[in-house]
Amino acid sequence: MRSIASSVSPRGIAAIVGVGPRLGLSVARKFAREGYTVAILARDLGRLSTFADEIAREEKAQVFAIRIDCSDSRSVREAFETVLSLGFVEILVYNAYQPTVANNNQPCPTNFADIRLDTFQKSVAVSSVGAFQCAQLVIPGMVERGRGTILFTGCSASLHGIAGYSELCCGKFALRALSQCLAREFQPLGVHVAHAVIDGNVGSPRGALTSEQQQGGGRGWTVDPDAVAQTYWYLHTQDRTAWTQEIDLRPSDPRFF
């Protein structure tokens, strides 16, 4: 764990699981800017510590970097024991998945016959079993306080089977089902659960793009993570008489319609 300041915000903790240099980082930065203590969790503690320093410096916020392997139930439990030792979790954002990746760190297709059972099981574990366990660890405190937000990051693979993406689709289908079940069980108890379908590749924040990329020059640069983070903030601050349970996010590029 990496501590950046001395006391937890009275607003509580925003726990962001699956923090990389794009969406996870943008979401963590947004909630830090809004006054929350932020716990960022992923497997690479060294990179997380760099992110924590960056967010703390830029947003004048308290940030904790905590290692987690979402495919390992013991790792998840120990990570959230650390998170909960800091205070109460007001927001859980689950953004983790285990893709087969190409050199540009984007998911790439795999022939079904070439998928190994252990890699399939790990992908499903990261996308859905880890989400189940994280939610189970924070929901009791949310129910006790009568408030809290859980946001699950999905994608187009949450809705449609895609050739070559069996691992990703099966995990994301399960995550969507989990979100719907939790929303119906815990919304009456004050816990807002929502699933975001991000239909497009998440690129770098718009300020980091070239003019060509900003105009839709490549599929890898189609969704601005800062814009998605703003939507996550909107979901968290919705009035409970009109909660969103699922939202689709896609660029205005006509190729996505």
Side-chain angles (χ1 to χ4, degrees):
M1 184 180 69
R2 174 71 175 272
S3 175
I4 309 299
S6 58
S7 60
V8 173
S9 166
R11 302 194 71 175
I13 297 166
I16 318 299
V17 180
V19 174
R22 297 181 180 181
L23 181 56
L25 181 59
S26 289
V27 173
R29 183 179 288 114
K30 175 61 179 177
F31 280 94
R33 186 176 303 140
E34 297 296 339
Y36 285 88
T37 294
V38 175
I40 56 176
L41 300 95
R43 283 177 297 182
D44 188 338
L45 184 58
R47 186 168 71 164
L48 278 180
S49 296
T50 300
F51 292 158
D53 287 337
E54 177 184 322
I55 297 170
R57 181 177 63 254
E58 294 178 357
E59 307 302 337
K60 304 298 187 291
Q62 183 183 35
V63 186
F64 294 87
I66 302 169
R67 187 186 182 280
I68 191 171
D69 179 350
C70 293
S71 69
D72 183 336
S73 61
R74 179 177 178 178
S75 175
V76 174
R77 185 178 64 254
E78 291 177 349
F80 271 84
E81 285 175 356
T82 300
V83 173
L84 292 170
S85 73
L86 304 173
F88 64 92
V89 175
E90 183 76 7
I91 307 106
L92 168 66
V93 177
Y94 194 85
N95 190 50
Y97 77 111
Q98 178 75 26
T100 302
V101 296
N103 291 333
N104 62 356
N105 205 36
Q106 296 293 339
C108 66
T110 303
N111 292 329
F112 182 75
D114 296 331
I115 299 173
R116 298 192 341 242
L117 178 60
D118 61 331
T119 61
F120 180 85
Q121 290 174 325
K122 184 169 185 178
S123 180
V124 173
V126 172
S127 289
S128 57
V129 180
F132 163 85
Q133 190 176 7
C134 291
Q136 201 170 55
L137 291 167
V138 302
I139 280 178
M142 293 180 175
V143 170
E144 182 179 355
R145 294 187 305 279
R147 70 178 193 274
T149 301
I150 298 176
L151 304 177
F152 295 116
T153 299
C155 59
S156 53
S158 305
L159 307 177
H160 310 288
I162 306 170
Y165 292 90
S166 299
E167 298 161 290
L168 180 62
C169 291
C170 288
K172 288 298 187 179
F173 263 62
L175 180 68
R176 185 180 186 223
L178 175 67
S179 178
Q180 292 180 1
C181 292
L182 295 183
R184 284 158 177 76
E185 182 172 355
F186 292 104
Q187 177 170 303
L189 303 178
V191 181
H192 184 191
V193 182
H195 178 253
V197 178
I198 302 180
D199 189 9
N201 293 327
V202 177
S204 299
R206 183 163 298 277
L209 304 185
T210 66
S211 59
E212 179 184 1
Q213 290 165 346
Q214 289 186 27
Q215 293 169 10
R219 287 180 62 88
W221 308 97
T222 52
V223 180
D224 182 353
D226 286 349
V228 178
Q230 181 62 42
T231 299
Y232 281 18
W233 174 252
Y234 160 74
L235 291 170
H236 172 58
T237 57
Q238 280 183 315
D239 188 273
R240 66 175 58 197
T241 64
W243 273 345
T244 295
Q245 292 187 351
E246 183 165 85
I247 189 168
D248 289 11
L249 303 173
R250 59 178 57 86
S252 59
D253 189 319
R255 291 175 294 178
F256 286 82
F257 288 88

